[in-house]
Amino acid sequence: CGSPVSWTPDGRFLIAAEPSRGPKGCRIALIPVDGSRRIPLAATKSDIAAVSPDGKRLAYAVGNQLKLANLTADLRIADPPANLAKEPHPISSLNWLPDGKAFLYQVWSDGRFYSRLVSTGNTSPDRLINAGGNIQISQILADGTGLGTEDSSQPALWRVDLNAATQEPHKVRSVPWTDWDLSVSPSGQWIAFATNRRGPTQIWVSRFDGSHPRVLVSAIPPFDVYGDFTSLDGICWSP
């Protein structure tokens, strides 16, 4: 389904959208990292999911609708989800802030992203965030800043302070055109990314500034029926 992966805080499970049989398209599933049986979480069609930092809530998108559900201790949806927002276009990304009091989602519309910060406790109004129309926020760092890459002929890594009164994206550094799916470690010191610098797609890791790069995964195995045409949908560090 191509959805980003969300880790549970204990690092034992992933939550992501997987294909479902029949006309329902994709649905959210709880995926144990030890390889044991997956557990469907939402019976209806669902696309993108993100677990709160305390592991007690799940925000997820169903096309252009945003929902919030409470989770039980064993990470099941406890009760009917609340409807938080409805957009004119499908929601493309969803990330919690470190304090768990709000999350940021983005919508792709008319060739640009727009971003909205949503409070989960009704303590502050929802507001649009200036994250840059060509910048897709892929994660929120521990200091509350959003990090994303620009989709253009000259790709770059950008940072936006979500806690500031007004937001302006700041360019961190340029990114080689051969690199994509950048993901920063929880410590903020390392960055993992996909690259074809040497021809075939590989996963590398480097310092945050791009120095000391090294190969982490030398070949992407053909996990499914597409064989050698298997593509990489995303990279995400465990907590």
Side-chain angles (χ1 to χ4, degrees):
C1 293
S3 69
V5 167
S6 181
W7 286 84
T8 58
D10 58 10
R12 296 173 54 224
F13 299 92
L14 308 173
I15 290 183
E18 65 173 3
S20 62
R21 296 179 180 178
K24 294 182 179 179
C26 299
R27 65 178 182 183
I28 297 171
L30 184 67
I31 307 171
V33 297
D34 63 6
S36 55
R37 185 177 63 89
R38 299 181 179 189
I39 303 167
L41 290 184
T44 57
K45 178 182 176 181
S46 43
D47 305 312
I48 298 172
V51 188
S52 63
D54 61 6
K56 295 181 179 181
R57 289 168 295 173
L58 180 71
Y60 65 97
V62 180
N64 62 340
Q65 297 183 58
L66 184 65
K67 297 178 179 291
L68 182 66
N70 294 317
L71 294 176
T72 63
D74 58 351
L75 301 172
R76 307 299 196 274
I77 293 179
D79 41 36
N83 296 314
L84 292 188
K86 186 175 183 180
E87 296 289 342
H89 302 281
I91 294 167
S92 58
S93 67
L94 178 61
N95 290 279
W96 284 85
L97 269 64
D99 60 8
K101 296 180 180 179
F103 50 81
L104 180 80
Y105 70 86
Q106 289 187 294
V107 175
W108 179 255
S109 172
D110 298 325
R112 293 176 61 84
F113 289 108
Y114 66 85
S115 309
R116 191 179 298 277
L117 193 66
V118 178
S119 171
T120 60
N122 297 321
T123 55
S124 59
D126 302 346
R127 56 192 175 102
L128 288 172
I129 297 293
N130 178 20
N134 293 324
I135 301 171
Q136 183 168 18
I137 300 297
S138 57
Q139 64 188 118
I140 310 295
L141 303 184
D143 61 0
T145 60
L147 200 69
T149 50
E150 181 181 16
D151 184 16
S152 69
S153 59
Q154 296 179 329
L157 187 65
W158 293 79
R159 185 196 299 264
V160 57
D161 184 359
L162 301 177
N163 297 313
T166 58
Q167 292 78 31
E168 287 294 336
H170 297 282
K171 183 176 178 180
V172 177
R173 61 178 174 86
S174 298
V175 175
W177 65 269
T178 53
D179 302 348
W180 70 96
D181 281 339
L182 280 68
S183 180
V184 179
S185 66
S187 67
Q189 298 181 3
W190 300 93
I191 191 164
F193 55 95
T195 183
N196 54 14
R197 294 183 187 184
R198 295 181 178 175
T201 299
Q202 299 176 319
I203 298 175
W204 288 26
V205 65
S206 72
R207 292 285 186 182
F208 181 77
D209 61 5
S211 63
H212 300 91
R214 63 182 175 87
V215 177
L216 188 67
V217 180
S218 59
I220 308 299
F223 288 112
D224 52 32
V225 297
Y226 298 108
D228 292 337
F229 293 100
T230 300
S231 61
L232 192 69
D233 281 327
I235 299 172
C236 187
W237 293 75
S238 68

